Amino acid sequence: MAVLMGCCGCANAGTASSSTASTADTPAVSQATGTFAKSTIALPDFMLPGPIDPVWGPDEVMLVAIAHLGNYSSIKQLKQSPFYPIMLSCYPDLDQVKDIIDTGSGDLWYVRPLGDNYSLAINEYNLDMFNGTQPEGSGKVYYRTEEARPLLLRMSAYDPGSVQINIVDNEGHSISWTPAMTPADNVLRDAMGVTDITYHPIDWLVDFGADYVCDLGNKKASLRFYGDGQVSINGRLGRYTSFHLKNNTDGVGLYYIDSEGREGTAIVTRFEQSDEAFNWQHLKGYALGIESFATFLKQ
């Protein structure tokens, strides 16, 4: 499924990595927080990428687009984020959404039906339904409408998923879909009729779920990025967001906050000698305990 950007050639959610997260570092059980709502360090100037519009082939039927926004639990918290202008640039309808469909836990997702007057229902999904000991559709009904519009959904997408989304278009096409991420990299699983339009340009430079290590002899650091905005920094989970820089077309800007609340910013660029590495240029805040410029190699 291709994604056409309004400008600057930003990529879709990327290719799932085959790496496996260690038990001690599995995001599914992480308590990593950090919503970026009250950043205390100066951020580099970022580009507003323009709307992300999915495109699909003539033989495909695409009913809904979805994007991961981050660790937010309210509209106010979302709009307080210094990265809200980027989200609004990518998803212009976001500013018209006034409420969150809240399951009580998980990150915030933007859901956009790809047509008018679709029937949409969002129902509870749980482990008992996954195991077949409870009938699907017998839980809570979080939302139902015959005139589906873009919405914000707070849900967990860790296995086996927490909601079932049912959509029917005007021509009778339908999907019943439980959003869930692959555990190794926390990238949303592909589903027929669904396209992931999450904006995270770091996926041009790293494989989600893979370990990258910088070893300078007396100084060493490790990073592992996930598709849901979590990052392992030296073996402990924090959060990050990536973005295109206003005055640097070769690099991707990165903001991160580690498990102790230490914030930092950096520029990540491709390592010309290998596709299995990236260069790291520290800008502000926490420097991971290494030099201001270093190269991380994929393990």
Side-chain angles (χ1 to χ4, degrees), residues 17-271:
S17 167
S18 60
S19 302
T20 302
S22 66
T23 302
D25 200 30
T26 303
V29 296
S30 165
Q31 298 300 313
T33 57
T35 61
F36 319 142
K38 298 179 181 179
S39 175
T40 61
I41 61 173
L43 297 172
D45 290 334
F46 47 72
M47 180 187 298
L48 300 181
I52 301 178
D53 291 317
V55 294
W56 55 91
D59 297 327
E60 293 182 289
V61 175
M62 205 65 61
L63 298 184
V64 65
I66 187 168
H68 179 264
L69 298 184
N71 183 222
Y72 307 100
S73 59
S74 69
I75 297 283
K76 179 179 178 181
Q77 195 179 53
L78 175 69
K79 291 187 175 182
Q80 285 178 339
S81 168
F83 301 108
Y84 184 69
I86 295 178
M87 299 180 213
L88 195 57
S89 177
C90 292
Y91 320 112
D93 290 332
L94 192 58
D95 202 39
Q96 305 302 314
V97 181
K98 304 302 181 184
D99 298 302
I100 292 175
I101 299 166
D102 195 344
T103 67
S105 65
D107 284 358
L108 199 60
W109 300 76
Y110 168 76
V111 180
R112 176 159 65 96
L114 296 175
D116 296 324
N117 300 319
Y118 284 11
S119 171
L120 170 65
I122 300 176
N123 302 328
E124 178 187 8
Y125 188 80
N126 57 41
L127 186 60
D128 290 335
M129 295 176 189
F130 176 77
N131 290 329
T133 58
Q134 178 181 347
E136 293 184 13
S138 61
K140 297 178 182 177
V141 178
Y142 292 114
Y143 184 73
R144 180 171 292 166
T145 181
E146 297 301 319
E147 298 181 356
R149 297 290 184 268
L151 57 88
L152 288 173
L153 172 62
R154 184 175 176 228
M155 67 170 182
S156 170
Y158 296 125
D159 276 340
S162 62
V163 301
Q164 188 175 70
I165 298 177
N166 301 293
I167 302 178
V168 181
D169 71 6
N170 295 324
E171 298 178 3
H173 302 110
S174 64
I175 58 172
S176 182
W177 167 54
T178 300
M181 302 179 296
T182 52
D185 50 25
N186 283 4
V187 172
L188 201 64
R189 288 187 174 94
D190 289 336
M192 191 71 70
V194 179
T195 181
D196 186 344
I197 57 172
T198 301
Y199 173 76
H200 42 28
I202 193 71
D203 68 1
W204 278 17
L205 301 171
V206 305
D207 289 333
F208 289 137
D211 287 310
Y212 291 86
V213 174
C214 171
D215 191 344
L216 300 175
N218 61 332
K219 297 179 179 180
K220 187 174 182 178
S222 65
L223 292 168
R224 185 194 301 159
F225 295 92
Y226 295 95
D228 67 340
Q230 294 196 85
V231 57
S232 171
I233 302 174
N234 297 326
R236 299 185 66 183
L237 279 167
R239 288 188 175 267
Y240 77 93
T241 192
S242 63
F243 47 90
H244 287 92
L245 296 161
K246 191 172 183 179
N247 300 313
N248 187 329
T249 58
D250 296 326
V252 171
L254 187 70
Y255 168 89
Y256 50 92
I257 181 169
D258 76 352
S259 60
E260 298 180 32
R262 294 177 292 189
E263 298 171 286
T265 58
I267 296 176
V268 178
T269 56
R270 191 172 302 282
F271 183 58

